[in-house]
Amino acid sequence: MNLSEIKLGQHAIVRKVNGDILALKLFEMGMLPGETVELENIAPFGDPIAIRVGESKLCLRLEDAAHVEIELH
Amino acid sequence: MERIISVALVGNPNCGKTSLFNALTGLNQKVSNFPGTTVEKKMGETMLSDTVKLQIIDLPGTYSLYPKSADELVTYEILRNKSETNFPDLVVFIADASNLKRNLLLFTQVCDLGVPAILALNMLDVAERRGISYNLEVLSEALQVPVIPINARKRIGVEPIKQTILERLPKAHAAFYSIDHLSQEMLAELGKVSDKRNAYAALQYAINAKELISEKSLRIKEIFTQYQFDARQFQEEEVFARYHLIDAAVKKSRIQAQDNLKKSITKRVDAVLTHRFYGIGIFLVLMFLIFQAVFSWSTYPMELVENAFAFLSEYVKNALPQGVLNDLLVQGVLAGLSGVIVFLPQIIVLFFFIAILEDIGYMARVGFIMDRVMRPFGMNGKSIVPLISGMACAVPSIMASRSIENKRERLITILVIPLMSCSARLPVYALLISIFIPDTAVWGPFNIHGLVLMLMYLIGFVAALLSAWIFKHFIKSAQQNYFLMELPGYKLPLPGNLLITLYEKASAFVVGAGKIIIAVSVILWVLASTGPRDKMNAVAQKYEQHMAQLNETEKNEALLGGLNLQRDADFLEASYAGQFGKFIEPAIRPLGFDWKIGIALLTSMAAREVFVGTMSTIYSVSGADDNLHSIRAAMLSETNTQTGKPSYSLATVFSLLLFYAFALQCMSTVAIVRKETGGSKWAIIQFVYLTFLAYGSSLFIYQVFG
């Protein structure tokens, strides 16, 4: 399962992040394998999504979120 | 002897860096650009003691020293390069204590570059509300640096920071992350092509420089291949290892009072502000209110500015002897200056609201809710604010597009911003619309005049989106296209920060646009007041002869009857500007324009609203009162000498409206685009594109309806 499929309010654990620069950027912003993420909000047109990771809240497009492999809590 | 200590403020975006900078320097700061870039450089000064001066540079916020945007690159370049003029003696690293781990990632990278640093821990109150506090002594021990608690918003901790800087400049730190496991021969090789400070700095430089096209990058790639070094893999390992180290330090010093005292309110506020329905609704209502405020609040100050300049012009005109200098000052310089200052009220009101929304954290949400809408047009959520600001003035809006990290999306945004109907077009629209619709006409509860005006704004917006869509297909980017943005926690705006931001925006506009507008005004004044000698002499002679035939009372009557206005109009016709109008007449005739409009098209290049002034000169309208109505009357009664029909048919007016909606008749915009895109290429492409768009649409509308 990947992060673009998570439902509102669901928690999950990051397993792996694919993609080149995007992955590094996500790591730098704290989205590391093993971290817990939560889908907090969805933008009006269903995309992008707002993900809570640690103390940060990140805005991600679905196509970018699809690079993040997760496992539901 | 005065000693100068230079420090750089470094930290993640939204960590309170700017607040600390403002608290340290007050208004004693200068904003410029880093050479060769469009990145804002903020420098300030304060006295540490009687003999020691502190020079502070506020570096753009970044998440790591592997830069991914122009802003981040500046921060990296300055910290990397010891011979860089801005290289600091010391880094004051500001960390958001409520998000400590992520903030410390950059901190450890900065330390490993070999730059001495102290850690200023901000937003401890926010952390505390979430039930987290830190033992700062333990943290200082674990990180081996002085740690100073601050509250940048409340200006707490400023003095301790100054004291720490004064008392001891910390020495460079021992490396957090060791790269001893890498091939020493490779590092030695890299040291030859890149940074010689330390191995980590050399490697980091190599990884960053590898992407650039230079002889160095080729050599670096060779070395990497030779030693089978995977930069991407290394960076990943580095981040993981750093987080691991940081985790240990943070765990040791963290005092967990109660877990989750309060769940942050951000989520609940966002549930409303980014809601499927209310989210967009709130955004639209807010924008509507802001524009109401921009236009209604600034009416009075704008009139004040106009009156002040009218008074000043009158004064200078009478105080100085008549002649070229007098005309140059009044009609060139003062007219230009007035054209700049008159927009300041709108710009200040607009940026007042934008700065508040930015400070609160709402602007990031606007990016979030609008991203999906802007994406098909090759832009992203962050494009919406510059586009909307474009309705006040393109110049500061193009500067505001700096917040868009993705180069391609930023470029597309810059290219289409001038299509948003800026306030300089407003007087032009008002005049033209009034030609065929009296401003009293109503359609149900609506004022038709107002509806047509709204339609013009809509046409501009639609044209901007469609043009963006076209540009999207031509502008390719090697950059990976992702949109990743932090949604910061909400906070109250700080009046001090707001004032400083407004001051910066206003002065950037006056300096940026002002120089150009004044220069263009002067050039246009020369073109409009001088001309081929024979033609100008002919006009002068005609009026001298005419006057000579009159007696005293007839002379006064003739002057009262507008003889001098008539003469001014004839002079304008004979001038170079008039010649230009006639010269381009064949080209603009298919659009329904005559040479008089041709002159106005030329003079509009200073600022579009000059159209109105030029029209009043051409039609010898006295500049006194009820300007708009008398120009309107003069334009309406004008007949085409060839066809005998009114010059301003509906088709001509429509054609002219579209031309002003699309054409890039603003030298300041051209100049700012050139600066922001780092060269003439895109400024020229934009100018040519918009000219063709304007010409084509006007041609179409005139040929269909004419």
Side-chain angles (χ1 to χ4, degrees):
Chain A
M1 179 172 182
N2 66 50
L3 192 56
S4 59
E5 297 161 306
I6 193 172
K7 302 266 176 327
L8 203 62
Q10 272 184 340
H11 293 254
I13 292 181
V14 177
R15 283 287 159 239
K16 195 175 165 218
V17 184
N18 304 307
D20 203 23
I21 308 174
L22 174 72
L24 272 178
K25 180 96 184 167
L26 281 171
F27 292 151
E28 287 167 0
M29 294 178 92
M31 196 178 280
L32 303 165
E35 288 283 336
T36 302
V37 289
E38 180 195 348
L39 178 61
E40 284 200 351
N41 309 94
I42 303 174
F45 299 95
D47 184 14
I49 51 175
I51 299 286
R52 160 78 47 194
V53 52
E55 296 300 332
S56 320
K57 185 168 187 170
L58 305 180
C59 155
L60 270 127
R61 286 179 178 170
L62 287 181
E63 58 184 63
D64 297 334
H67 286 97
V68 182
E69 293 176 21
I70 53 164
E71 198 171 286
L72 287 182
H73 249 304
Chain B
M1 250 304 270
E2 199 176 66
R3 190 161 66 100
I4 297 175
I5 299 178
S6 69
V7 303
L9 304 186
V10 180
N12 284 180
N14 303 308
C15 66
K17 214 160 45 64
T18 305
S19 295
L20 179 65
F21 180 71
N22 289 340
L24 278 168
T25 61
L27 262 180
N28 200 3
Q29 47 177 276
K30 263 195 299 202
V31 185
S32 57
N33 278 358
F34 288 102
T37 71
T38 59
V39 180
E40 241 165 46
K41 172 183 177 183
K42 287 182 169 183
M43 299 270 279
E45 282 176 2
T46 182
M47 292 307 287
L48 278 184
S49 70
D50 294 339
T51 53
V52 185
K53 189 156 82 177
L54 185 64
Q55 216 169 50
I56 307 151
I57 182 166
D58 184 14
L59 295 183
T62 176
Y63 294 105
S64 92
L65 286 183
Y66 294 107
K68 285 155 196 78
S69 72
D71 285 32
E72 296 180 345
L73 185 64
V74 163
T75 302
Y76 169 68
E77 281 294 336
I78 287 180
L79 295 179
R80 169 189 86 75
N81 192 350
K82 251 189 173 148
S83 51
E84 156 78 47
T85 41
N86 295 306
F87 185 80
D89 297 323
L90 173 80
V91 162
V92 175
F93 191 93
I94 298 102
D96 172 359
S98 70
N99 196 349
L100 191 56
K101 275 198 262 176
R102 196 198 65 201
N103 280 251
L104 287 182
L105 175 75
L106 175 63
F107 175 73
T108 64
Q109 283 183 330
V110 171
C111 290
D112 287 359
L113 266 189
V115 193
I118 61 174
L119 182 63
L121 211 48
N122 195 17
M123 305 195 204
L124 284 158
D125 50 342
V126 181
E128 229 154 85
R129 262 179 266 140
R130 295 189 195 154
I132 301 162
S133 55
Y134 293 96
N135 183 330
L136 300 188
E137 271 169 44
V138 177
L139 188 65
S140 171
E141 184 72 26
L143 297 175
Q144 292 290 305
V145 288
V147 176
I148 302 140
I150 64 166
N151 186 329
R153 295 167 62 78
K154 290 182 181 157
R155 293 165 179 260
I156 298 170
V158 174
E159 282 312 311
I161 283 186
K162 285 186 181 175
Q163 278 310 311
T164 314
I165 296 171
L166 190 60
E167 275 162 21
R168 54 172 189 150
L169 282 177
K171 283 195 282 293
H173 193 279
F176 279 100
Y177 173 65
S178 151
I179 50 169
D180 290 346
H181 61 285
L182 298 177
S183 152
Q184 293 305 307
E185 291 106 59
M186 179 185 80
L187 294 175
E189 288 280 328
L190 287 175
K192 284 180 209 156
V193 265
S194 55
D195 205 304
K196 290 174 187 65
R197 191 153 21 128
N198 67 35
Y200 177 69
L203 179 62
Q204 200 181 45
Y205 174 79
I207 292 172
N208 286 326
K210 163 171 77 75
E211 302 307 325
L212 305 169
I213 305 152
S214 71
E215 312 126 56
K216 271 188 184 174
S217 82
L218 282 177
R219 177 75 193 113
I220 290 165
K221 278 180 188 154
E222 261 174 41
I223 299 174
F224 281 176
T225 324
Q226 188 189 340
Y227 292 91
Q228 292 171 337
F229 175 78
D230 181 346
R232 164 72 177 72
Q233 183 65 30
F234 167 78
Q235 279 173 281
E236 186 174 323
E237 281 165 17
E238 181 192 337
V239 175
F240 290 171
R242 285 185 192 279
Y243 268 119
H244 193 72
L245 289 163
I246 292 163
D247 231 11
V250 168
K251 268 202 187 112
K252 231 191 285 175
S253 49
R254 185 164 54 197
I255 309 161
Q256 196 98 12
Q258 266 168 291
D259 205 20
N260 272 336
L261 277 180
K262 248 191 292 177
K263 195 77 188 159
S264 80
I265 57 161
T266 308
K267 185 174 162 185
R268 273 177 292 161
V269 177
D270 276 344
V272 179
L273 290 185
T274 67
H275 185 270
R276 212 156 261 248
F277 305 117
Y278 331 125
I280 299 250
I282 291 170
F283 169 64
L284 292 177
V285 169
L286 266 176
M287 286 303 130
F288 177 76
L289 290 178
I290 289 175
F291 270 88
Q292 279 290 298
V294 166
F295 288 115
S296 61
W297 292 9
S298 48
T299 313
Y300 181 69
M302 282 172 91
E303 273 170 23
L304 212 65
V305 171
E306 278 172 349
N307 291 339
F309 271 97
F311 174 80
L312 197 65
S313 299
E314 204 51 39
Y315 178 79
V316 174
K317 198 174 171 183
N318 295 327
L320 289 176
Q322 287 218 342
V324 180
L325 180 70
N326 189 322
D327 286 352
L328 170 70
L329 277 178
V330 175
Q331 291 165 26
V333 178
L334 278 179
L337 205 57
S338 153
V340 179
I341 309 285
V342 79
F343 291 115
L344 260 190
Q346 283 192 338
I347 286 170
I348 289 175
V349 175
L350 177 74
F351 279 97
F352 171 73
F353 287 105
I354 289 183
I356 288 185
L357 294 180
E358 189 96 60
D359 251 28
I360 291 177
Y362 181 69
M363 277 309 175
R365 271 71 189 183
V366 173
F368 178 65
I369 60 177
M370 295 306 288
D371 181 60
R372 188 66 192 83
V373 184
M374 306 307 286
R375 216 181 301 166
F377 304 104
M379 297 186 276
N380 71 38
K382 289 184 178 177
S383 307
I384 196 80
V385 175
L387 280 180
I388 289 171
S389 321
M391 292 206 261
C393 177
V395 173
S397 316
I398 286 168
M399 293 195 259
S401 73
R402 286 172 186 178
S403 63
I404 306 167
E405 282 102 6
N406 185 290
K407 269 191 201 157
R408 173 172 176 246
E409 291 171 348
R410 172 160 181 241
L411 179 61
I412 294 178
T413 308
I414 289 177
L415 291 177
V416 303
I417 281 176
L419 284 167
M420 303 298 288
S421 282
C422 66
S423 51
R425 284 162 170 127
L426 202 56
V428 182
Y429 289 167
L431 171 65
L432 291 174
I433 294 172
S434 74
I435 288 177
F436 64 97
I437 299 171
D439 43 8
T440 47
V442 286
W443 180 61
F446 302 106
N447 174 311
I448 299 182
H449 202 280
L451 282 182
V452 177
L453 197 60
M454 220 171 80
L455 185 71
M456 291 311 298
Y457 277 85
L458 201 65
I459 287 175
F461 185 63
V462 171
L465 288 186
L466 291 180
S467 302
W469 185 81
I470 294 171
F471 283 127
K472 184 179 91 166
H473 292 92
F474 289 99
I475 301 169
K476 297 286 171 223
S477 160
Q479 216 177 353
Q480 196 185 350
N481 204 20
Y482 61 83
F483 180 62
L484 192 58
M485 174 175 70
E486 191 178 3
L487 298 172
Y490 289 101
K491 26 180 209 280
L492 288 172
L494 281 183
N497 285 358
L498 273 182
L499 285 179
I500 290 174
T501 308
L502 281 186
Y503 172 75
E504 278 166 11
K505 296 282 180 202
S507 52
F509 170 74
V510 170
V511 175
K515 281 188 292 197
I516 306 285
I517 295 183
I518 291 174
V520 174
S521 299
V522 170
I523 294 171
L524 290 175
W525 168 78
V526 172
L527 290 181
S529 59
T530 58
R533 188 163 290 163
D534 50 334
K535 291 209 166 91
M536 296 299 269
N537 283 345
V539 175
Q541 249 169 20
K542 178 179 146 196
Y543 281 91
E544 266 165 33
Q545 278 170 6
H546 185 78
M547 290 298 267
Q549 288 162 5
L550 303 174
N551 64 35
E552 246 352 91
T553 38
E554 281 172 332
K555 257 187 206 170
N556 285 335
E557 269 171 23
L559 285 176
L560 280 174
L563 186 75
N564 52 348
L565 294 174
Q566 188 62 48
R567 190 188 54 191
D568 287 349
D570 284 350
F571 268 125
L572 183 58
E573 184 181 349
S575 71
Y576 289 118
Q579 303 302 314
F580 174 82
K582 287 190 171 153
F583 174 71
I584 64 164
E585 199 181 50
I588 56 176
R589 183 152 293 287
L591 315 183
F593 306 162
D594 59 7
W595 63 269
K596 296 180 179 182
I597 297 177
I599 299 180
L601 293 185
L602 174 70
T603 54
S604 292
M605 292 304 284
R608 293 175 179 93
E609 83 278 10
V610 173
F611 175 83
V612 178
T614 305
M615 280 299 167
S616 82
T617 310
I618 296 179
Y619 289 109
S620 358
V621 174
S622 77
D625 40 30
D626 218 7
N627 209 334
L628 212 61
H629 285 99
S630 20
I631 306 173
R632 175 180 170 248
M635 286 170 75
L636 270 179
S637 60
E638 171 86 357
T639 51
N640 188 315
T641 44
Q642 282 171 18
T643 58
K645 286 186 198 151
S647 290
Y648 293 89
S649 64
L650 213 52
T652 300
V653 174
F654 280 151
S655 162
L656 204 49
L657 273 174
L658 276 187
F659 196 89
Y660 270 83
F662 297 153
L664 184 49
Q665 299 154 289
C666 176
M667 288 314 287
S668 326
T669 305
V670 176
I672 207 80
V673 169
R674 194 170 160 265
K675 202 168 143 217
E676 295 288 318
T677 56
S680 303
K681 182 184 163 196
W682 289 107
I684 293 171
I685 290 176
Q686 180 185 42
F687 186 82
V688 171
Y689 170 78
L690 290 175
T691 306
F692 269 102
L693 181 64
Y695 192 90
S697 330
S698 291
L699 183 68
F700 177 77
I701 210 93
Y702 186 73
Q703 295 304 329
V704 168
F705 293 101

